[in-house]
Amino acid sequence: MTAATEGKTAPGAPRSQGSSPSAVLHGGERARRSRARYHTLWFWVFVGPFALGLGLFTYVPLLWSVGLSFLDAHNTVTPTHFVGFDNYVAVLSDSAFTGSLRTFLVFAAFIVPTTFVLSLALALMVNRMRVARTFFRSVFFLPTACSYVVAALIWKMSVFNGVRFGLANTVLGWFGADQIAWLSTTDPPWYWLVIVTVRLWLQVGFYMILFLAGFQRIDPVLYEAAAVDGARPGWQVLRHITLPQLRATSITVGLLLVINAFQAFDEFYNLLSNARGYPPYARPPLVYLYDTALGQGQNFGLGSAGAVILALIIAVVTVGQSWWFRLGKREE
């Protein structure tokens, strides 16, 4: 065999050498594509049902609500009479809706700073513990798993029920104080104490966990350097190291508290709704929307317009807070 023909094989004969580089590359590409299709398949197997449920039960109702806000939807969710922005004008000119926004301001003035301070204080206390830290963290977080409806009914029927054998009035009786009708619509408005305490009991533990997570991101070297520089443990360390390092967490907690205050419904509805209506400053926006859309009038168009307005207000407030506190921006 000559050198010219050496290494050549007849057509159809098996190659004695390994596969060519191009064949190896094509085979590797096919294997990678096969693995990618496999991973994509299992991604949709796990995510698909949740994405489908999110679309059907969240985004479709949202779009349908926006559509209803431009229609005359009395006692029907399939209206045909287009009214444009009449529903929006009616909601904004309704004194009950503007009053519900004032109720939100009063409620937020109570609940936002109180929850912030208590959750931060609990986080500081639990974070400093050396014994049973996990136990106390679980105890304070446990109320978060309770339903707002159940908690409101417990507060109404057992703790602040206004009779002499209720827990709150029993404690007052030990000190010789008179009984109080906690949920009465007359002055003084003791019902605010009931509403604020049930909300605090339910949500302080959750925000405590957020602050505890923020503590884990603080470098211990900062505290060691502060001790070397002569900083006294307590207020000085809290003011100059802990709070500045918790800036992003604090802003996030503040945003969530304001949004949750907008969404207040269960405690107001279950504690204060009765045949005589709601007492002054005790009908937040969601209760107003519920009564408008699902009450006696069942005006779904008007309720949907109010829901869209409320969603826009929440979005504007959230974006405004984020911009004001420069959330997400690195400090120079």
Side-chain angles (χ1 to χ4, degrees):
M1 181 179 294
T2 63
T5 60
E6 193 172 316
K8 293 184 178 180
T9 57
R15 298 180 58 90
S16 59
Q17 302 293 330
S19 301
S20 64
S22 60
V24 173
L25 291 175
H26 287 303
E29 183 65 24
R30 285 195 297 268
R32 283 192 294 270
R33 290 179 180 177
S34 178
R35 287 194 298 269
R37 286 194 296 267
Y38 177 81
H39 293 156
T40 302
L41 172 63
W42 283 107
F43 170 82
W44 286 111
V45 166
F46 286 104
V47 176
F50 297 99
L52 182 62
L54 183 67
L56 288 177
F57 300 108
T58 301
Y59 293 113
V60 170
L62 284 175
L63 295 175
W64 188 249
S65 179
V66 173
L68 286 177
S69 67
F70 296 100
L71 300 170
D72 183 11
H74 284 277
N75 300 313
T76 179
V77 293
T78 57
T80 57
H81 183 211
F82 182 78
V83 295
F85 289 95
D86 290 352
N87 288 327
Y88 290 90
V89 174
V91 169
L92 293 174
S93 60
D94 189 356
S95 60
F97 179 74
T98 56
S100 70
L101 294 179
R102 288 194 294 270
T103 298
F104 156 74
L105 292 177
V106 174
F107 180 63
F110 276 109
I111 202 65
V112 172
T114 308
T115 304
F116 187 95
V117 172
L118 286 180
S119 59
L120 178 59
L122 284 178
L124 287 169
M125 182 183 69
V126 173
N127 192 58
R128 291 176 179 269
M129 287 183 174
R130 295 296 179 263
V131 179
R133 177 188 298 181
T134 304
F135 170 77
F136 284 103
R137 184 169 55 192
S138 302
V139 167
F140 290 130
F141 181 75
L142 191 61
T144 306
C146 182
S147 167
Y148 274 71
V149 176
V150 173
L153 292 178
I154 292 174
W155 252 241
K156 181 178 182 178
M157 302 174 65
S158 181
V159 181
F160 294 99
N161 60 358
V163 297
R164 63 180 179 82
F165 53 80
L167 179 60
N169 281 335
T170 300
V171 173
L172 291 177
W174 294 344
F175 299 95
D178 295 332
Q179 299 177 17
I180 296 177
W182 297 99
L183 298 176
S184 174
T185 59
T186 58
D187 291 332
W190 290 109
Y191 53 82
W192 275 110
L193 178 64
V194 184
I195 292 172
V196 170
T197 53
V198 68
R199 175 60 75 103
L200 287 174
W201 183 76
L202 285 166
Q203 70 180 15
V204 163
F206 173 76
Y207 296 104
M208 178 200 70
I209 295 296
L210 295 184
F211 279 119
L212 284 175
F215 287 142
Q216 305 307 314
R217 299 175 60 248
I218 301 177
D219 192 347
V221 174
L222 296 175
Y223 294 106
E224 297 173 2
V228 171
D229 291 340
R232 289 175 295 179
W235 172 245
Q236 281 189 341
V237 174
L238 177 66
R239 177 185 176 184
H240 296 289
I241 296 180
T242 304
L243 292 181
Q245 293 296 317
L246 287 176
R247 180 178 178 276
T249 303
S250 300
I251 295 173
T252 302
V253 169
L255 289 173
L256 293 175
L257 284 172
V258 172
I259 293 173
N260 286 336
F262 268 113
Q263 297 174 340
F265 174 81
D266 298 288
E267 58 267 56
F268 284 91
Y269 185 80
N270 289 283
L271 288 172
L272 301 177
S273 62
N274 51 55
R276 296 188 298 268
Y278 296 89
Y281 292 100
R283 195 187 188 199
L286 283 189
V287 175
Y288 165 83
L289 296 178
Y290 178 86
D291 292 338
T292 300
L294 300 175
Q296 294 181 351
Q298 290 194 347
N299 193 333
F300 297 105
L302 201 64
S304 297
V308 173
I309 294 173
L310 183 61
L312 292 176
I313 293 175
I314 294 175
V316 170
V317 171
T318 303
V319 173
Q321 281 185 288
S322 301
W323 175 81
W324 178 263
F325 292 108
R326 297 172 58 88
L327 183 63
K329 295 183 179 180
R330 293 185 177 181
E331 296 184 359
E332 299 296 336

